[in-house]
């Protein structure tokens, strides 16, 4: 399974790591819903640390898409929310004119 | 409810699938996408250059403030030596303001440094993936019919689309940060121009002139001392001159 630390790079992780990430991800989501930025950042940092520590970095020229994307912890709450909206923080990819 | 990781991934994938849906001719889409990738690579390079320029501007200001600190400190000493505690106090007050600005600037410079590193790393990743994509694109175009190509394109195109979205985000964030810094740099420049952080000698108000006088007086005194020392003892009192040994 491939996970991307947004703004950083991609890593391959195993199932054990994934289930630990899932637990933190749930807590991160709850923190976001409570508007608790400090706690959210803490969980995201922990997730990043796990991925960096236990995952294997993908070669830079690997073209596999990621299964999971972990947002960076230095976003504001509002930016993190925007990350998940269609016309939010992630820029649109250029679509060729018909 | 999906967590953060899944949602972010869904948004990126849906953005890219829009692009794939639009593509009627896979070969054309591959070429078009490749052009866009090169364009984005140029943007990220420009982003790095912009961050470097902003950083330089802040560093110049920081140097300027450092010099102000030294000058204000000297002026405060001179004022105190001349018995003008009021002037010394005013100089030290300005020094404190300059010091606070300087600390703020240093934090901003570090912030820009971090943005620069992120952009450079993003550029490296995008560049490697574009190279890989170019290779696959040529293979796909040479070996597969349009229908087969459509299937083959999927993963590679989604992979590079994800990188493009990530790099695009990095550029946007760096741009936001740089704009904030520019605004701040502008504010500091105004402070410097208004004389608030400038040393007294170049200012125009009464305090400035008084301190400049004290400063000039002190400079005259020290020049006199130096000359006396050069001429040897007794030179200034009109005694018989002795040649320095």
């Amino acid at each position: 399974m491939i996970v991307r630390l947004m703004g950083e790079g991609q890593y391959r992780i195993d199932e054990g790591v994934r289930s630990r990430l899932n637990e933190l991800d749930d807590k991160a989501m709850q923190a976001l819903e409570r508007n608790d930025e400090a706690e959210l950042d803490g969980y995201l940092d922990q997730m990043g640390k796990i991925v960096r520590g236990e995952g294997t970095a993908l070669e830079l020229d690997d073209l596999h898409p990621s299964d999971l994307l972990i947002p960076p912890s230095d976003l504001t709450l509002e930016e993190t929310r925007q990350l998940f909206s269609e016309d939010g923080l992630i820029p649109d990819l250029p679509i060729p004119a018909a | 409810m999906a967590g953060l990781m899944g949602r972010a991934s869904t948004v990126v994938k849906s953005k890219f699938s829009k692009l794939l849906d639009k593509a009627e001719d896979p070969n054309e889409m591959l070429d078009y996408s490749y052009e866009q990738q090169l364009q984005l690579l140029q943007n990220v390079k420009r982003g790095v250059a912009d961050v470097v320029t902003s950083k330089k501007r802040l560093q110049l200001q920081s140097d300027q403030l450092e010099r102000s600190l030294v000058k204000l400190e000297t002026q405060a000493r001179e004022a105190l030596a001349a018995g003008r505690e009021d002037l010394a106090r005013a100089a030290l007050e300005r020094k404190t303001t300059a010091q606070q600005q300087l600390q703020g600037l240093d934090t901003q410079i570090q912030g820009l440094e971090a943005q620069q590193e992120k952009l450079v790393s993003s550029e490296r990743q995008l560049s490697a993936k574009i190279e890989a994509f170019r290779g696959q694109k040529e293979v796909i175009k040479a070996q597969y019919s349009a229908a087969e190509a459509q299937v083959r394109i999927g993963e590679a195109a989604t992979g590079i689309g994800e990188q493009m979205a990530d790099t695009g985000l990095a550029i946007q964030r760096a741009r936001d940060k740089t704009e904030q810094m520019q605004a701040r740099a502008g504010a500091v420049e105004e402070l410097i121009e208004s004389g608030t952080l400038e040393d007294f000698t170049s200012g125009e108000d009464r305090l400035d002139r008084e301190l400049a006088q004290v400063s000039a007086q002190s400079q005259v005194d020290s020049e006199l001392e130096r000359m006396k020392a050069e001429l040897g003892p007794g030179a200034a009192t009109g005694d018989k001159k002795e040649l320095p040994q």
Side-chain angles (χ1 to χ4, degrees), chain A residues 4 7-8 10 25 29 33 60-66 69 74-75 84 86 90 92-94 96, chain B residues 1 3-5 7 13-16 18-19 22 32 36 118 125 129 132 155 159 162-163 166 173:
Chain A
R4 172 184 288 273
E8 211 176 306
Q10 292 172 289
D25 191 30
M29 197 66 208
E33 276 159 10
L60 291 188
D61 61 359
D62 194 314
L63 285 175
H64 284 99
S66 308
L69 271 72
D74 61 352
L75 297 178
F84 309 124
E86 271 288 308
I90 296 172
D92 276 324
L93 291 159
Chain B
M1 181 188 297
L4 296 175
M5 302 185 293
R7 285 194 190 188
K13 286 201 174 87
S14 95
K15 284 193 188 265
F16 203 73
K18 271 193 220 155
L19 177 56
K22 282 264 179 172
Y32 177 79
Q36 295 303 317
K118 280 185 187 167
Q125 294 181 46
K129 282 184 168 46
E155 198 172 68
E162 180 188 312
Q163 182 61 52
D166 199 49
R173 298 205 70 219

Side-chain angles (χ1 to χ4, degrees), chain B residues 227-240:
Chain B
M227 287 177 180
K228 281 184 203 170
E230 277 174 15
L231 290 169
T237 53
D239 290 353
K240 201 174 69 177

Side-chain angles (χ1 to χ4, degrees), chain A residues 21-82:
Chain A
L21 287 179
N22 275 342
E23 274 173 37
L24 289 166
D25 191 30
D26 285 344
K27 290 181 182 165
M29 197 66 208
Q30 286 162 19
L32 180 67
E33 276 159 10
R34 278 200 312 275
N35 293 325
D36 190 334
E37 189 171 338
E39 205 171 297
L40 171 65
D41 292 348
Y43 289 129
L44 291 174
D45 281 337
Q46 281 184 52
M47 289 159 83
K49 209 173 275 178
I50 290 175
V51 172
R52 266 177 240 117
E54 299 178 39
T56 314
L58 240 61
E59 291 293 325
L60 291 188
D61 61 359
D62 194 314
L63 285 175
H64 284 99
S66 308
D67 301 287
L68 302 167
L69 271 72
I70 300 181
S73 64
D74 61 352
L75 297 178
T76 64
L77 278 176
E78 197 39 47
E79 285 173 325
T80 308
R81 255 186 220 107
Q82 282 180 24

Side-chain angles (χ1 to χ4, degrees), chain B residues 8 22 59 65-67 84 86 96 98 102 111 113 116 141 153 167-168 189 234:
Chain B
K22 282 264 179 172
Q59 271 159 348
L65 285 175
E66 293 272 11
R67 284 196 299 274
R84 294 294 308 270
D86 57 330
T96 308
L102 189 62
E113 200 91 51
Q116 187 183 337
K141 277 164 77 173
I153 289 168
T167 300
E189 253 150 42

